[in-house]
Amino acid sequence: MAATTNQLLSWDTSLCIHINRYSSYQRIATFFKSVSRLGDGWFWGSMLMAALVLQLLSGAKGVAAWLPILTIALTSAVGVGLYKILKVKTVRPRPYQVHQVIIMGERPLDVFSFPSGHTLQAVLFTCTLGSFFPILLWIMIPFALLVALSRMVLGLHYPTDVAIGGMLGAGLAQMSPFIHRLLTTILVG
């Protein structure tokens, strides 16, 4: 078991160093900094506004128009809670803190590396919002992939942080139908 763990950590570090090398190119670094900043919430907020407009254009009124947005917000809040618990329980240092060859391309929002909260939320929003509004998937899927990649290019996360963040986001998105039914029962009756 220890040998497998050491092999995984070695692979994780090697891939992280390889991906981070792209941050030495100014245009690439600038592009991924922009993606990462948009992934802080700006992009997802604009997708929620687009979803609300789509709801209103479809004729939904009142609480019914807001139910998908409330569902996504509540599912996202659960994701933030889980992310914060895992960060303080695992206390994995960020790659640039451990390996001098890794360039920190952007200031992180918090101290620890595991899991990638940006990736968790990107996948969660894409899956959940996409289930309600498939028309938005054509822009959300590529952006979510770019967010995940940005976290490694900028030296903020290991590949396993990103992979687990993505899996957690996809798993939490599976809760959204239950949350939607619960909100419908509470708000609509």
Side-chain angles (χ1 to χ4, degrees), residues 13 16-18 20-21 23-24 93-105 154-155 158:
T13 301
C16 184
I17 290 168
H18 177 74
N20 178 251
R21 287 187 183 141
S23 69
S24 63
R94 292 194 181 267
Y96 72 85
Q97 294 170 320
V98 179
H99 308 284
Q100 291 182 349
V101 295
I102 294 180
I103 301 163
M104 178 182 69
L154 298 174
Y158 293 95

Side-chain angles (χ1 to χ4, degrees), residues 76-119:
S76 176
V78 171
V80 169
L82 177 61
Y83 151 86
K84 288 185 182 258
I85 290 167
L86 288 172
K87 287 275 186 174
V88 298
K89 293 290 183 187
T90 59
V91 297
R92 185 180 196 187
R94 292 194 181 267
Y96 72 85
Q97 294 170 320
V98 179
H99 308 284
Q100 291 182 349
V101 295
I102 294 180
I103 301 163
M104 178 182 69
E106 180 75 333
R107 291 257 173 235
L109 297 177
D110 57 30
V111 179
F112 300 114
S113 186
F114 182 87
S116 168
H118 277 76
T119 306

Side-chain angles (χ1 to χ4, degrees), residues 97-153:
Q97 294 170 320
V98 179
H99 308 284
Q100 291 182 349
V101 295
I102 294 180
I103 301 163
M104 178 182 69
E106 180 75 333
R107 291 257 173 235
L109 297 177
D110 57 30
V111 179
F112 300 114
S113 186
F114 182 87
S116 168
H118 277 76
T119 306
L120 185 155
Q121 289 294 332
V123 172
L124 185 148
F125 265 82
T126 300
C127 292
T128 306
L129 196 56
S131 71
F132 288 108
F133 306 97
I135 194 168
L136 297 176
L137 286 171
W138 70 271
I139 190 168
M140 289 190 300
I141 290 172
F143 187 76
L145 292 170
L146 287 172
V147 167
L149 186 57
S150 78
R151 308 312 287 166
M152 295 177 287
V153 169

